[in-house]
PDB file of all heavy atoms in Angstrom:
ATOM      1  N   ASP A   1     205.151 101.962  59.894  1.00  0.00           N
ATOM      2  CA  ASP A   1     204.882 101.334  61.185  1.00  0.00           C
ATOM      3  C   ASP A   1     203.466 101.622  61.693  1.00  0.00           C
ATOM      4  O   ASP A   1     203.047 101.062  62.706  1.00  0.00           O
ATOM      5  CB  ASP A   1     205.907 101.806  62.232  1.00  0.00           C
ATOM      6  CG  ASP A   1     207.322 101.372  61.874  1.00  0.00           C
ATOM      7  OD1 ASP A   1     207.469 100.277  61.304  1.00  0.00           O
ATOM      8  OD2 ASP A   1     208.256 102.139  62.167  1.00  0.00           O
ATOM      9  N   THR A   2     202.752 102.523  61.022  1.00  0.00           N
ATOM     10  CA  THR A   2     201.383 102.860  61.439  1.00  0.00           C
ATOM     11  C   THR A   2     200.403 101.867  60.826  1.00  0.00           C
ATOM     12  O   THR A   2     200.447 101.587  59.632  1.00  0.00           O
ATOM     13  CB  THR A   2     201.014 104.286  60.997  1.00  0.00           C
ATOM     14  OG1 THR A   2     201.936 105.214  61.593  1.00  0.00           O
ATOM     15  CG2 THR A   2     199.600 104.636  61.432  1.00  0.00           C
ATOM     16  N   LEU A   3     199.526 101.360  61.650  1.00  0.00           N
ATOM     17  CA  LEU A   3     198.564 100.358  61.202  1.00  0.00           C
ATOM     18  C   LEU A   3     197.525 100.995  60.280  1.00  0.00           C
ATOM     19  O   LEU A   3     196.952 102.032  60.589  1.00  0.00           O
ATOM     20  CB  LEU A   3     197.870  99.738  62.413  1.00  0.00           C
ATOM     21  CG  LEU A   3     197.287  98.329  62.278  1.00  0.00           C
ATOM     22  CD1 LEU A   3     198.364  97.336  61.866  1.00  0.00           C
ATOM     23  CD2 LEU A   3     196.640  97.920  63.590  1.00  0.00           C
ATOM     24  N   LYS A   4     197.297 100.341  59.124  1.00  0.00           N
ATOM     25  CA  LYS A   4     196.321 100.824  58.151  1.00  0.00           C
ATOM     26  C   LYS A   4     195.331  99.712  57.856  1.00  0.00           C
ATOM     27  O   LYS A   4     195.668  98.531  57.908  1.00  0.00           O
ATOM     28  CB  LYS A   4     197.007 101.286  56.873  1.00  0.00           C
ATOM     29  CG  LYS A   4     198.093 102.331  57.092  1.00  0.00           C
ATOM     30  CD  LYS A   4     198.847 102.642  55.825  1.00  0.00           C
ATOM     31  CE  LYS A   4     200.092 103.459  56.137  1.00  0.00           C
ATOM     32  NZ  LYS A   4     201.136 102.641  56.804  1.00  0.00           N
ATOM     33  N   ALA A   5     194.105 100.111  57.529  1.00  0.00           N
ATOM     34  CA  ALA A   5     193.052  99.136  57.242  1.00  0.00           C
ATOM     35  C   ALA A   5     192.617  99.262  55.788  1.00  0.00           C
ATOM     36  O   ALA A   5     192.718 100.334  55.174  1.00  0.00           O
ATOM     37  CB  ALA A   5     191.859  99.341  58.172  1.00  0.00           C
ATOM     38  N   LYS A   6     192.109  98.162  55.263  1.00  0.00           N
ATOM     39  CA  LYS A   6     191.701  98.115  53.860  1.00  0.00           C
ATOM     40  C   LYS A   6     190.226  98.505  53.732  1.00  0.00           C
ATOM     41  O   LYS A   6     189.364  97.960  54.415  1.00  0.00           O
ATOM     42  CB  LYS A   6     191.923  96.716  53.290  1.00  0.00           C
ATOM     43  CG  LYS A   6     191.562  96.581  51.814  1.00  0.00           C
ATOM     44  CD  LYS A   6     191.680  95.144  51.333  1.00  0.00           C
ATOM     45  CE  LYS A   6     193.124  94.699  51.265  1.00  0.00           C
ATOM     46  NZ  LYS A   6     193.250  93.361  50.629  1.00  0.00           N
ATOM     47  N   MET A   7     189.966  99.458  52.830  1.00  0.00           N
ATOM     48  CA  MET A   7     188.593  99.813  52.499  1.00  0.00           C
ATOM     49  C   MET A   7     188.009  98.736  51.584  1.00  0.00           C
ATOM     50  O   MET A   7     188.731  97.851  51.095  1.00  0.00           O
ATOM     51  CB  MET A   7     188.539 101.181  51.815  1.00  0.00           C
ATOM     52  CG  MET A   7     189.049 102.334  52.663  1.00  0.00           C
ATOM     53  SD  MET A   7     188.035 102.707  54.112  1.00  0.00           S
ATOM     54  CE  MET A   7     186.599 103.469  53.355  1.00  0.00           C
ATOM     55  N   SER A   8     186.718  98.810  51.309  1.00  0.00           N
ATOM     56  CA  SER A   8     186.064  97.783  50.498  1.00  0.00           C
ATOM     57  C   SER A   8     186.609  97.725  49.081  1.00  0.00           C
ATOM     58  O   SER A   8     186.533  96.685  48.423  1.00  0.00           O
ATOM     59  CB  SER A   8     184.557  98.039  50.453  1.00  0.00           C
ATOM     60  OG  SER A   8     184.284  99.355  49.992  1.00  0.00           O
ATOM     61  N   CYS A   9     187.212  98.817  48.594  1.00  0.00           N
ATOM     62  CA  CYS A   9     187.777  98.828  47.241  1.00  0.00           C
ATOM     63  C   CYS A   9     189.179  98.238  47.204  1.00  0.00           C
ATOM     64  O   CYS A   9     189.742  98.040  46.128  1.00  0.00           O
ATOM     65  CB  CYS A   9     187.811 100.254  46.702  1.00  0.00           C
ATOM     66  SG  CYS A   9     188.877 101.365  47.659  1.00  0.00           S
ATOM     67  N   GLY A  10     189.755  97.995  48.388  1.00  0.00           N
ATOM     68  CA  GLY A  10     191.083  97.410  48.451  1.00  0.00           C
ATOM     69  C   GLY A  10     192.187  98.383  48.792  1.00  0.00           C
ATOM     70  O   GLY A  10     193.328  97.964  49.004  1.00  0.00           O
ATOM     71  N   HIS A  11     191.888  99.684  48.864  1.00  0.00           N
ATOM     72  CA  HIS A  11     192.914 100.674  49.185  1.00  0.00           C
ATOM     73  C   HIS A  11     192.965 100.932  50.691  1.00  0.00           C
ATOM     74  O   HIS A  11     191.965 100.774  51.396  1.00  0.00           O
ATOM     75  CB  HIS A  11     192.656 101.968  48.420  1.00  0.00           C
ATOM     76  CG  HIS A  11     192.866 101.824  46.938  1.00  0.00           C
ATOM     77  ND1 HIS A  11     191.821 101.762  46.041  1.00  0.00           N
ATOM     78  CD2 HIS A  11     194.010 101.681  46.214  1.00  0.00           C
ATOM     79  CE1 HIS A  11     192.309 101.612  44.821  1.00  0.00           C
ATOM     80  NE2 HIS A  11     193.628 101.559  44.901  1.00  0.00           N
ATOM     81  N   ALA A  12     194.141 101.349  51.147  1.00  0.00           N
ATOM     82  CA  ALA A  12     194.393 101.458  52.585  1.00  0.00           C
ATOM     83  C   ALA A  12     194.221 102.885  53.098  1.00  0.00           C
ATOM     84  O   ALA A  12     194.505 103.863  52.389  1.00  0.00           O
ATOM     85  CB  ALA A  12     195.803 100.970  52.891  1.00  0.00           C
ATOM     86  N   VAL A  13     193.774 102.992  54.346  1.00  0.00           N
ATOM     87  CA  VAL A  13     193.608 104.294  54.998  1.00  0.00           C
ATOM     88  C   VAL A  13     193.981 104.192  56.470  1.00  0.00           C
ATOM     89  O   VAL A  13     194.068 103.101  57.029  1.00  0.00           O
ATOM     90  CB  VAL A  13     192.150 104.799  54.896  1.00  0.00           C
ATOM     91  CG1 VAL A  13     191.736 105.026  53.461  1.00  0.00           C
ATOM     92  CG2 VAL A  13     191.187 103.833  55.595  1.00  0.00           C
ATOM     93  N   LYS A  14     194.209 105.350  57.070  1.00  0.00           N
ATOM     94  CA  LYS A  14     194.334 105.466  58.519  1.00  0.00           C
ATOM     95  C   LYS A  14     193.099 106.199  59.029  1.00  0.00           C
ATOM     96  O   LYS A  14     192.506 107.000  58.308  1.00  0.00           O
ATOM     97  CB  LYS A  14     195.608 106.225  58.897  1.00  0.00           C
ATOM     98  CG  LYS A  14     196.901 105.564  58.456  1.00  0.00           C
ATOM     99  CD  LYS A  14     198.097 106.157  59.183  1.00  0.00           C
ATOM    100  CE  LYS A  14     198.292 107.628  58.901  1.00  0.00           C
ATOM    101  NZ  LYS A  14     198.768 107.912  57.538  1.00  0.00           N
ATOM    102  N   PRO A  15     192.698 105.980  60.269  1.00  0.00           N
ATOM    103  CA  PRO A  15     191.461 106.604  60.756  1.00  0.00           C
ATOM    104  C   PRO A  15     191.494 108.121  60.768  1.00  0.00           C
ATOM    105  O   PRO A  15     190.517 108.770  60.417  1.00  0.00           O
ATOM    106  CB  PRO A  15     191.303 106.022  62.162  1.00  0.00           C
ATOM    107  CG  PRO A  15     192.666 105.539  62.548  1.00  0.00           C
ATOM    108  CD  PRO A  15     193.323 105.098  61.274  1.00  0.00           C
ATOM    109  N   GLN A  16     192.640 108.713  61.163  1.00  0.00           N
ATOM    110  CA  GLN A  16     192.677 110.160  61.253  1.00  0.00           C
ATOM    111  C   GLN A  16     192.664 110.817  59.878  1.00  0.00           C
ATOM    112  O   GLN A  16     192.032 111.850  59.666  1.00  0.00           O
ATOM    113  CB  GLN A  16     193.886 110.651  62.070  1.00  0.00           C
ATOM    114  CG  GLN A  16     195.247 110.336  61.461  1.00  0.00           C
ATOM    115  CD  GLN A  16     195.795 109.015  61.947  1.00  0.00           C
ATOM    116  OE1 GLN A  16     195.026 108.092  62.249  1.00  0.00           O
ATOM    117  NE2 GLN A  16     197.108 108.897  62.014  1.00  0.00           N
ATOM    118  N   SER A  17     193.345 110.203  58.897  1.00  0.00           N
ATOM    119  CA  SER A  17     193.350 110.795  57.554  1.00  0.00           C
ATOM    120  C   SER A  17     191.989 110.638  56.892  1.00  0.00           C
ATOM    121  O   SER A  17     191.536 111.518  56.161  1.00  0.00           O
ATOM    122  CB  SER A  17     194.435 110.153  56.683  1.00  0.00           C
ATOM    123  OG  SER A  17     194.189 108.769  56.485  1.00  0.00           O
ATOM    124  N   LEU A  18     191.314 109.527  57.145  1.00  0.00           N
ATOM    125  CA  LEU A  18     189.983 109.313  56.580  1.00  0.00           C
ATOM    126  C   LEU A  18     188.994 110.329  57.155  1.00  0.00           C
ATOM    127  O   LEU A  18     188.182 110.903  56.423  1.00  0.00           O
ATOM    128  CB  LEU A  18     189.513 107.887  56.862  1.00  0.00           C
ATOM    129  CG  LEU A  18     188.131 107.498  56.314  1.00  0.00           C
ATOM    130  CD1 LEU A  18     188.079 107.687  54.802  1.00  0.00           C
ATOM    131  CD2 LEU A  18     187.801 106.052  56.697  1.00  0.00           C
ATOM    132  N   THR A  19     189.069 110.570  58.450  1.00  0.00           N
ATOM    133  CA  THR A  19     188.187 111.560  59.075  1.00  0.00           C
ATOM    134  C   THR A  19     188.420 112.944  58.496  1.00  0.00           C
ATOM    135  O   THR A  19     187.478 113.655  58.118  1.00  0.00           O
ATOM    136  CB  THR A  19     188.412 111.591  60.598  1.00  0.00           C
ATOM    137  OG1 THR A  19     188.195 110.295  61.149  1.00  0.00           O
ATOM    138  CG2 THR A  19     187.465 112.585  61.264  1.00  0.00           C
ATOM    139  N   ALA A  20     189.690 113.350  58.402  1.00  0.00           N
ATOM    140  CA  ALA A  20     190.027 114.687  57.899  1.00  0.00           C
ATOM    141  C   ALA A  20     189.624 114.846  56.437  1.00  0.00           C
ATOM    142  O   ALA A  20     189.122 115.899  56.025  1.00  0.00           O
ATOM    143  CB  ALA A  20     191.521 114.946  58.071  1.00  0.00           C
ATOM    144  N   TRP A  21     189.826 113.798  55.643  1.00  0.00           N
ATOM    145  CA  TRP A  21     189.485 113.846  54.217  1.00  0.00           C
ATOM    146  C   TRP A  21     187.974 114.004  54.028  1.00  0.00           C
ATOM    147  O   TRP A  21     187.524 114.823  53.224  1.00  0.00           O
ATOM    148  CB  TRP A  21     189.984 112.575  53.538  1.00  0.00           C
ATOM    149  CG  TRP A  21     189.694 112.468  52.079  1.00  0.00           C
ATOM    150  CD1 TRP A  21     190.351 113.100  51.058  1.00  0.00           C
ATOM    151  CD2 TRP A  21     188.685 111.651  51.461  1.00  0.00           C
ATOM    152  NE1 TRP A  21     189.806 112.735  49.849  1.00  0.00           N
ATOM    153  CE2 TRP A  21     188.781 111.845  50.069  1.00  0.00           C
ATOM    154  CE3 TRP A  21     187.721 110.780  51.966  1.00  0.00           C
ATOM    155  CZ2 TRP A  21     187.937 111.199  49.158  1.00  0.00           C
ATOM    156  CZ3 TRP A  21     186.881 110.130  51.065  1.00  0.00           C
ATOM    157  CH2 TRP A  21     186.996 110.335  49.681  1.00  0.00           C
ATOM    158  N   CYS A  22     187.194 113.259  54.788  1.00  0.00           N
ATOM    159  CA  CYS A  22     185.731 113.355  54.687  1.00  0.00           C
ATOM    160  C   CYS A  22     185.249 114.733  55.119  1.00  0.00           C
ATOM    161  O   CYS A  22     184.361 115.321  54.490  1.00  0.00           O
ATOM    162  CB  CYS A  22     185.071 112.276  55.531  1.00  0.00           C
ATOM    163  SG  CYS A  22     185.257 110.604  54.879  1.00  0.00           S
ATOM    164  N   ARG A  23     185.841 115.253  56.186  1.00  0.00           N
ATOM    165  CA  ARG A  23     185.445 116.593  56.646  1.00  0.00           C
ATOM    166  C   ARG A  23     185.749 117.638  55.571  1.00  0.00           C
ATOM    167  O   ARG A  23     184.968 118.573  55.353  1.00  0.00           O
ATOM    168  CB  ARG A  23     186.171 116.941  57.936  1.00  0.00           C
ATOM    169  CG  ARG A  23     185.605 116.268  59.176  1.00  0.00           C
ATOM    170  CD  ARG A  23     186.151 116.936  60.430  1.00  0.00           C
ATOM    171  NE  ARG A  23     185.621 116.347  61.639  1.00  0.00           N
ATOM    172  CZ  ARG A  23     184.427 116.599  62.143  1.00  0.00           C
ATOM    173  NH1 ARG A  23     183.604 117.427  61.498  1.00  0.00           N
ATOM    174  NH2 ARG A  23     184.019 116.031  63.262  1.00  0.00           N
ATOM    175  N   SER A  24     186.887 117.488  54.903  1.00  0.00           N
ATOM    176  CA  SER A  24     187.259 118.425  53.848  1.00  0.00           C
ATOM    177  C   SER A  24     186.232 118.409  52.722  1.00  0.00           C
ATOM    178  O   SER A  24     185.821 119.462  52.214  1.00  0.00           O
ATOM    179  CB  SER A  24     188.645 118.073  53.300  1.00  0.00           C
ATOM    180  OG  SER A  24     188.974 118.881  52.187  1.00  0.00           O
ATOM    181  N   LEU A  25     185.784 117.219  52.330  1.00  0.00           N
ATOM    182  CA  LEU A  25     184.783 117.115  51.270  1.00  0.00           C
ATOM    183  C   LEU A  25     183.441 117.689  51.728  1.00  0.00           C
ATOM    184  O   LEU A  25     182.748 118.362  50.956  1.00  0.00           O
ATOM    185  CB  LEU A  25     184.613 115.661  50.848  1.00  0.00           C
ATOM    186  CG  LEU A  25     185.797 115.023  50.116  1.00  0.00           C
ATOM    187  CD1 LEU A  25     185.465 113.591  49.713  1.00  0.00           C
ATOM    188  CD2 LEU A  25     186.183 115.845  48.894  1.00  0.00           C
ATOM    189  N   MET A  26     183.072 117.433  52.978  1.00  0.00           N
ATOM    190  CA  MET A  26     181.817 117.979  53.494  1.00  0.00           C
ATOM    191  C   MET A  26     181.860 119.503  53.524  1.00  0.00           C
ATOM    192  O   MET A  26     180.853 120.170  53.268  1.00  0.00           O
ATOM    193  CB  MET A  26     181.533 117.408  54.879  1.00  0.00           C
ATOM    194  CG  MET A  26     181.139 115.933  54.861  1.00  0.00           C
ATOM    195  SD  MET A  26     181.266 115.119  56.474  1.00  0.00           S
ATOM    196  CE  MET A  26     180.129 116.084  57.463  1.00  0.00           C
ATOM    197  N   ASP A  27     183.028 120.066  53.821  1.00  0.00           N
ATOM    198  CA  ASP A  27     183.173 121.523  53.819  1.00  0.00           C
ATOM    199  C   ASP A  27     182.947 122.094  52.421  1.00  0.00           C
ATOM    200  O   ASP A  27     182.584 123.264  52.270  1.00  0.00           O
ATOM    201  CB  ASP A  27     184.564 121.928  54.320  1.00  0.00           C
ATOM    202  CG  ASP A  27     184.733 121.709  55.813  1.00  0.00           C
ATOM    203  OD1 ASP A  27     183.714 121.548  56.512  1.00  0.00           O
ATOM    204  OD2 ASP A  27     185.883 121.680  56.278  1.00  0.00           O
ATOM    205  N   GLN A  28     183.195 121.267  51.387  1.00  0.00           N
ATOM    206  CA  GLN A  28     182.957 121.683  50.008  1.00  0.00           C
ATOM    207  C   GLN A  28     181.528 121.381  49.559  1.00  0.00           C
ATOM    208  O   GLN A  28     181.169 121.629  48.411  1.00  0.00           O
ATOM    209  CB  GLN A  28     183.930 120.973  49.066  1.00  0.00           C
ATOM    210  CG  GLN A  28     185.393 121.296  49.304  1.00  0.00           C
ATOM    211  CD  GLN A  28     186.292 120.539  48.350  1.00  0.00           C
ATOM    212  OE1 GLN A  28     186.081 120.539  47.140  1.00  0.00           O
ATOM    213  NE2 GLN A  28     187.299 119.879  48.870  1.00  0.00           N
ATOM    214  N   GLY A  29     180.723 120.819  50.466  1.00  0.00           N
ATOM    215  CA  GLY A  29     179.338 120.541  50.132  1.00  0.00           C
ATOM    216  C   GLY A  29     179.076 119.147  49.613  1.00  0.00           C
ATOM    217  O   GLY A  29     177.966 118.836  49.179  1.00  0.00           O
ATOM    218  N   GLN A  30     180.073 118.272  49.654  1.00  0.00           N
ATOM    219  CA  GLN A  30     179.874 116.924  49.149  1.00  0.00           C
ATOM    220  C   GLN A  30     179.363 116.003  50.256  1.00  0.00           C
ATOM    221  O   GLN A  30     179.790 116.104  51.398  1.00  0.00           O
ATOM    222  CB  GLN A  30     181.182 116.376  48.568  1.00  0.00           C
ATOM    223  CG  GLN A  30     181.664 117.144  47.346  1.00  0.00           C
ATOM    224  CD  GLN A  30     182.793 116.432  46.626  1.00  0.00           C
ATOM    225  OE1 GLN A  30     182.731 115.239  46.374  1.00  0.00           O
ATOM    226  NE2 GLN A  30     183.839 117.176  46.294  1.00  0.00           N
ATOM    227  N   TYR A  31     178.460 115.123  49.888  1.00  0.00           N
ATOM    228  CA  TYR A  31     177.882 114.204  50.858  1.00  0.00           C
ATOM    229  C   TYR A  31     178.088 112.741  50.468  1.00  0.00           C
ATOM    230  O   TYR A  31     177.654 111.842  51.178  1.00  0.00           O
ATOM    231  CB  TYR A  31     176.382 114.472  51.016  1.00  0.00           C
ATOM    232  CG  TYR A  31     175.584 114.237  49.755  1.00  0.00           C
ATOM    233  CD1 TYR A  31     174.978 113.009  49.510  1.00  0.00           C
ATOM    234  CD2 TYR A  31     175.461 115.237  48.809  1.00  0.00           C
ATOM    235  CE1 TYR A  31     174.266 112.785  48.349  1.00  0.00           C
ATOM    236  CE2 TYR A  31     174.744 115.025  47.645  1.00  0.00           C
ATOM    237  CZ  TYR A  31     174.149 113.801  47.424  1.00  0.00           C
ATOM    238  OH  TYR A  31     173.448 113.588  46.264  1.00  0.00           O
ATOM    239  N   GLU A  32     178.761 112.507  49.350  1.00  0.00           N
ATOM    240  CA  GLU A  32     179.113 111.158  48.929  1.00  0.00           C
ATOM    241  C   GLU A  32     180.628 111.071  48.833  1.00  0.00           C
ATOM    242  O   GLU A  32     181.297 112.055  48.484  1.00  0.00           O
ATOM    243  CB  GLU A  32     178.476 110.818  47.577  1.00  0.00           C
ATOM    244  CG  GLU A  32     176.958 110.771  47.614  1.00  0.00           C
ATOM    245  CD  GLU A  32     176.351 110.544  46.238  1.00  0.00           C
ATOM    246  OE1 GLU A  32     176.690 111.314  45.321  1.00  0.00           O
ATOM    247  OE2 GLU A  32     175.558 109.608  46.086  1.00  0.00           O
ATOM    248  N   PHE A  33     181.179 109.900  49.123  1.00  0.00           N
ATOM    249  CA  PHE A  33     182.622 109.752  49.191  1.00  0.00           C
ATOM    250  C   PHE A  33     183.075 108.643  48.238  1.00  0.00           C
ATOM    251  O   PHE A  33     182.565 107.520  48.296  1.00  0.00           O
ATOM    252  CB  PHE A  33     183.051 109.434  50.625  1.00  0.00           C
ATOM    253  CG  PHE A  33     182.501 110.405  51.636  1.00  0.00           C
ATOM    254  CD1 PHE A  33     181.448 110.048  52.469  1.00  0.00           C
ATOM    255  CD2 PHE A  33     183.016 111.679  51.735  1.00  0.00           C
ATOM    256  CE1 PHE A  33     180.923 110.937  53.386  1.00  0.00           C
ATOM    257  CE2 PHE A  33     182.501 112.586  52.654  1.00  0.00           C
ATOM    258  CZ  PHE A  33     181.448 112.217  53.484  1.00  0.00           C
ATOM    259  N   PHE A  34     184.029 108.977  47.385  1.00  0.00           N
ATOM    260  CA  PHE A  34     184.537 108.036  46.398  1.00  0.00           C
ATOM    261  C   PHE A  34     186.056 107.940  46.529  1.00  0.00           C
ATOM    262  O   PHE A  34     186.731 108.961  46.699  1.00  0.00           O
ATOM    263  CB  PHE A  34     184.160 108.477  44.983  1.00  0.00           C
ATOM    264  CG  PHE A  34     182.672 108.570  44.753  1.00  0.00           C
ATOM    265  CD1 PHE A  34     181.995 109.754  45.013  1.00  0.00           C
ATOM    266  CD2 PHE A  34     181.953 107.471  44.310  1.00  0.00           C
ATOM    267  CE1 PHE A  34     180.623 109.848  44.822  1.00  0.00           C
ATOM    268  CE2 PHE A  34     180.584 107.550  44.114  1.00  0.00           C
ATOM    269  CZ  PHE A  34     179.912 108.739  44.368  1.00  0.00           C
ATOM    270  N   CYS A  35     186.569 106.740  46.433  1.00  0.00           N
ATOM    271  CA  CYS A  35     187.999 106.521  46.611  1.00  0.00           C
ATOM    272  C   CYS A  35     188.798 107.341  45.604  1.00  0.00           C
ATOM    273  O   CYS A  35     188.599 107.211  44.394  1.00  0.00           O
ATOM    274  CB  CYS A  35     188.325 105.031  46.461  1.00  0.00           C
ATOM    275  SG  CYS A  35     190.096 104.681  46.602  1.00  0.00           S
ATOM    276  N   PRO A  36     189.748 108.176  46.074  1.00  0.00           N
ATOM    277  CA  PRO A  36     190.527 109.029  45.179  1.00  0.00           C
ATOM    278  C   PRO A  36     191.831 108.397  44.702  1.00  0.00           C
ATOM    279  O   PRO A  36     192.626 109.053  44.025  1.00  0.00           O
ATOM    280  CB  PRO A  36     190.821 110.247  46.056  1.00  0.00           C
ATOM    281  CG  PRO A  36     191.000 109.642  47.421  1.00  0.00           C
ATOM    282  CD  PRO A  36     190.019 108.481  47.495  1.00  0.00           C
ATOM    283  N   ALA A  37     192.067 107.142  45.054  1.00  0.00           N
ATOM    284  CA  ALA A  37     193.347 106.510  44.717  1.00  0.00           C
ATOM    285  C   ALA A  37     193.532 106.403  43.205  1.00  0.00           C
ATOM    286  O   ALA A  37     192.604 106.002  42.487  1.00  0.00           O
ATOM    287  CB  ALA A  37     193.424 105.118  45.344  1.00  0.00           C
ATOM    288  N   PRO A  38     194.714 106.758  42.693  1.00  0.00           N
ATOM    289  CA  PRO A  38     194.976 106.610  41.250  1.00  0.00           C
ATOM    290  C   PRO A  38     195.044 105.137  40.866  1.00  0.00           C
ATOM    291  O   PRO A  38     195.430 104.289  41.669  1.00  0.00           O
ATOM    292  CB  PRO A  38     196.317 107.310  41.064  1.00  0.00           C
ATOM    293  CG  PRO A  38     196.973 107.251  42.422  1.00  0.00           C
ATOM    294  CD  PRO A  38     195.853 107.346  43.413  1.00  0.00           C
ATOM    295  N   VAL A  39     194.653 104.865  39.641  1.00  0.00           N
ATOM    296  CA  VAL A  39     194.648 103.490  39.144  1.00  0.00           C
ATOM    297  C   VAL A  39     195.860 103.266  38.260  1.00  0.00           C
ATOM    298  O   VAL A  39     196.038 103.941  37.250  1.00  0.00           O
ATOM    299  CB  VAL A  39     193.354 103.199  38.353  1.00  0.00           C
ATOM    300  CG1 VAL A  39     193.380 101.784  37.779  1.00  0.00           C
ATOM    301  CG2 VAL A  39     192.144 103.383  39.243  1.00  0.00           C
ATOM    302  N   ASN A  40     196.727 102.341  38.679  1.00  0.00           N
ATOM    303  CA  ASN A  40     197.900 101.952  37.890  1.00  0.00           C
ATOM    304  C   ASN A  40     198.761 103.143  37.474  1.00  0.00           C
ATOM    305  O   ASN A  40     199.245 103.218  36.344  1.00  0.00           O
ATOM    306  CB  ASN A  40     197.465 101.173  36.640  1.00  0.00           C
ATOM    307  CG  ASN A  40     196.748  99.884  37.002  1.00  0.00           C
ATOM    308  OD1 ASN A  40     197.074  99.239  37.991  1.00  0.00           O
ATOM    309  ND2 ASN A  40     195.762  99.507  36.191  1.00  0.00           N
ATOM    310  N   GLY A  41     198.909 104.104  38.376  1.00  0.00           N
ATOM    311  CA  GLY A  41     199.796 105.227  38.111  1.00  0.00           C
ATOM    312  C   GLY A  41     199.274 106.223  37.095  1.00  0.00           C
ATOM    313  O   GLY A  41     200.018 107.068  36.605  1.00  0.00           O
ATOM    314  N   THR A  42     197.986 106.177  36.754  1.00  0.00           N
ATOM    315  CA  THR A  42     197.398 107.104  35.788  1.00  0.00           C
ATOM    316  C   THR A  42     196.663 108.219  36.514  1.00  0.00           C
ATOM    317  O   THR A  42     196.623 108.272  37.738  1.00  0.00           O
ATOM    318  CB  THR A  42     196.407 106.362  34.866  1.00  0.00           C
ATOM    319  OG1 THR A  42     195.274 105.956  35.643  1.00  0.00           O
ATOM    320  CG2 THR A  42     197.062 105.119  34.257  1.00  0.00           C
TER     321      THR A  42
END
């Protein structure tokens, strides 16, 4: 029931999870963000 939006790669996110995920990567020193979604269950 929570509204999700499509990223440019076609995968869906919510604003709060996207913010938290980016902050987590920045805490690890990363400054680029790449979609972590698995491809075809692999």
Side-chain angles (χ1 to χ4, degrees):
D1 296 326
T2 300
L3 205 58
K4 305 173 192 72
K6 182 185 290 187
M7 298 293 287
S8 55
C9 63
H11 292 105
V13 297
K14 298 196 298 289
Q16 64 269 31
S17 63
L18 181 58
T19 303
W21 179 77
C22 289
R23 283 194 179 281
S24 174
L25 291 182
M26 289 163 60
D27 288 343
Q28 297 179 50
Q30 295 191 47
Y31 63 93
E32 295 175 307
F33 308 105
F34 300 89
C35 178
V39 177
N40 298 325
T42 68

